[in-house]
Amino acid sequence: MARLEWELIEAGHCVHPQRAVRQGASWHRCEFPALVALLRHPQRGLILFDTGYSDAFLQATARFPERLYRWVTPVHLGPGQSVRAQLQQRGIGAADIGLVVLSHLHGDHVGGVLDFPDVPLLCSRAAWQDQAARGRLRALSVGLLPALTRDAAPRMGWLESVPEVDLPRPFDAFGRGRDVLGDRSLLAVPLPGHAVGQHGLLFEGADGRPVFLVADAAWSSAAITDGVPPPRLVTALLGHTGTYRQTLQRLQQTQRQVSDLQLVPAHCGQWRPAATL
């Protein structure tokens, strides 16, 4: 099975009180990076997992009612900090990306989709259908900004159409996975509770260690280690509290069972690239 090189890119960050993402924490405001994973498959080339914030996100939230997104969750995106801009600085063009996999459709994960106009996309059909069934306000209320993906429909593929496979133990506690590339090197894993259709990615890194990118199934590695979820109000607003907590518990158990597992939440400051600290 192929091993994948991988790295994280910070495409902006938002600011939250700690208590909003960890039950019982302080009201101190902290930065939460929007982490995008750049994967390199030895045959299939470059793959992105999510896209972070971008100028398109700022434009989509410039007017009311979408402006409420940035009032509730202040977003900071410096010049040249979008994923596309950072890749261009390294000589990687948008056309060099072979696939973008979207964990779910919240604005901070799809903000850069329009920066990769000709690249195939992969996400959950259930997530897409849920977003399509919502009006502007109902979408905004759960963190969705349809303008960021509406023009992407012709190039969208569905995780539900990808071949289903058994996950290795102990990851089989999450159910069955999807073989994204057809060689079992990159498995999409369902992570329900936070958002409709959310998936993480499981693969073996170049050093042989397993890597599990878990999107927003947790806001920090410490939350997984400690088993501490966000407050019920937050998880109920965005998704389903009981399901979220079941997923968090499974992540904690998996972390304990796989000693060399690199388990990466999408907004964890501990995984923030050194260049952006």
Side-chain angles (χ1 to χ4, degrees):
M1 184 176 68
R3 295 179 175 180
L4 279 66
E5 297 177 10
W6 69 287
E7 63 179 292
L8 297 174
I9 301 171
E10 178 178 339
H13 68 269
C14 66
V15 179
H16 275 309
Q18 287 181 324
R19 186 179 288 266
V21 299
R22 184 181 172 98
Q23 187 173 270
S26 75
W27 289 102
H28 177 70
R29 296 177 72 81
C30 295
E31 295 182 359
F32 293 90
L35 300 177
V36 176
L38 176 65
L39 315 179
R40 186 185 295 271
H41 186 278
Q43 284 79 44
R44 301 291 293 274
L46 298 174
I47 299 164
L48 284 178
F49 184 51
D50 291 333
T51 60
Y53 297 113
S54 73
D55 290 340
F57 173 89
L58 299 180
Q59 293 166 11
T61 55
R63 296 182 179 180
F64 187 82
E66 286 79 11
R67 181 72 181 187
L68 290 170
Y69 191 119
R70 279 197 272 160
W71 288 351
V72 174
T73 308
V75 171
H76 300 264
L77 181 73
Q81 204 176 13
S82 71
V83 169
R84 179 170 180 170
Q86 293 190 57
L87 292 177
Q88 286 178 332
Q89 292 166 15
R90 302 195 221 169
I92 300 173
D96 296 323
I97 303 298
L99 176 68
V100 175
V101 182
L102 300 172
S103 63
H104 60 295
L105 298 181
H106 283 166
D108 53 335
H109 293 258
V110 303
V113 163
L114 299 180
D115 287 343
F116 299 89
D118 300 314
V119 178
L121 304 167
L122 190 63
C123 81
S124 164
R125 181 189 283 112
W128 187 266
Q129 291 175 339
D130 174 72
Q131 177 175 268
R134 295 174 179 269
R136 283 175 70 185
L137 288 176
R138 287 189 63 233
L140 181 63
S141 70
V142 293
L144 300 173
L145 297 168
L148 295 174
T149 53
R150 186 175 292 118
D151 295 339
R155 54 195 174 99
M156 189 71 74
W158 312 121
L159 282 166
E160 291 87 345
S161 299
V162 172
E164 199 171 30
V165 295
D166 291 329
L167 294 171
R169 293 183 179 179
F171 301 97
D172 57 351
F174 296 93
R176 304 194 75 202
R178 300 284 176 173
D179 187 0
V180 174
L181 301 178
D183 63 356
R184 297 187 65 91
S185 66
L186 187 62
L187 304 178
V189 180
L191 297 171
H194 172 72
V196 175
Q198 178 175 251
H199 283 71
L201 287 183
L202 176 65
F203 59 94
E204 192 171 294
D207 60 359
R209 297 175 62 189
V211 181
F212 195 4
L213 307 176
V214 299
D216 288 1
W219 277 75
S220 68
S221 297
I224 297 172
T225 300
D226 301 337
V228 180
R232 287 182 178 273
L233 177 63
V234 174
T235 49
L237 177 66
L238 295 175
H240 187 276
T241 295
T243 306
Y244 182 102
R245 294 185 175 196
Q246 288 174 356
T247 296
L248 182 64
Q249 185 179 48
R250 290 187 182 114
L251 289 173
Q252 184 187 48
Q253 292 170 345
T254 302
Q255 185 182 57
R256 290 172 175 172
Q257 292 174 289
V258 185
S259 60
D260 59 346
L261 176 63
Q262 297 176 91
L263 210 159
V264 186
H267 302 292
C268 181
Q270 295 177 27
W271 287 98
R272 203 171 193 180
T276 60
L277 294 175

